């Protein structure tokens, strides 16, 4: 959970430095890599441990949704859906989803993992990569202070006047 909080905070902090357009879509792009890959895999693994005959391939097939190829795929699909729902937003949705996914992956690449990193070149390369500058649990202690700081920045910092509508 701390990692998800950290991802959301990085999205809001980055958007606070801009005109904040499409912030919800950008935040969605930051959380979707974990939601589309980790959540189905965890749920199916739980069912398998409980005795249901879930093939390993079904558990691990979600992993690409957390890699550049998967991020590109769901960014395109959701942008197209956005354009159907509200014509004219597809390009902005695509860029914000892709940007959020890239930010997510960028933060994850700072961590060291037991698996040795991410397959950034999937499906063309199986070479894992990560910077391994911090442990994968390093954000746990940071989550609450970062959330409070993010809220403070997003609300305008020490500025007591309301922020202009964008």
């Amino acid at each position: 959970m701390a990692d998800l909080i950290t991802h959301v905070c990085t999205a809001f902090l980055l958007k606070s430095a801009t005109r904040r357009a499409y912030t919800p879509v950008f935040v969605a792009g930051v959380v979707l890599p974990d939601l589309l890959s980790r959540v189905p895999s965890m749920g199916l693994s739980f069912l398998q441990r409980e005795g249901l005959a879930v093939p390993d391939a079904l558990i691990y097939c979600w992993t690409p949704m957390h890699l550049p190829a998967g991020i590109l795929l769901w960014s395109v699909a959701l942008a197209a859906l956005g354009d159907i729902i509200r014509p004219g937003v597809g390009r902005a949705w695509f860029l914000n989803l892709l940007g959020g996914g890239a930010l997510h992956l960028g933060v994850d690449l700072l961590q060291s993992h037991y698996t040795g990193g991410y397959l950034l070149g999937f499906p063309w390369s199986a070479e894992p990569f990560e910077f391994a500058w911090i442990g994968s649990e390093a954000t746990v202690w940071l989550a609450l202070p970062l959330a409070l700081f993010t809220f403070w920045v997003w609300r305008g910092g020490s500025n007591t006047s309301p922020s202009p509508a964008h």
Side-chain angles (χ1 to χ4, degrees), residues 8 11 19 22 25 28 30 34 38 43 50 61 75 86 88 90 95 123 135-136 151:
V8 169
R19 58 186 185 95
Y22 296 97
V25 179
V30 167
D34 283 343
R38 307 282 193 253
E50 293 299 312
C61 72
S75 293
R86 189 168 169 213
L95 293 173
S136 61
F151 181 76

Side-chain angles (χ1 to χ4, degrees), residues 71-95:
I71 292 170
L72 181 62
L73 179 70
W74 54 252
S75 293
V76 168
L78 291 174
L81 179 64
D83 225 14
I84 291 169
I85 295 169
R86 189 168 169 213
V89 300
R91 177 174 156 71
W93 275 37
F94 172 73
L95 293 173

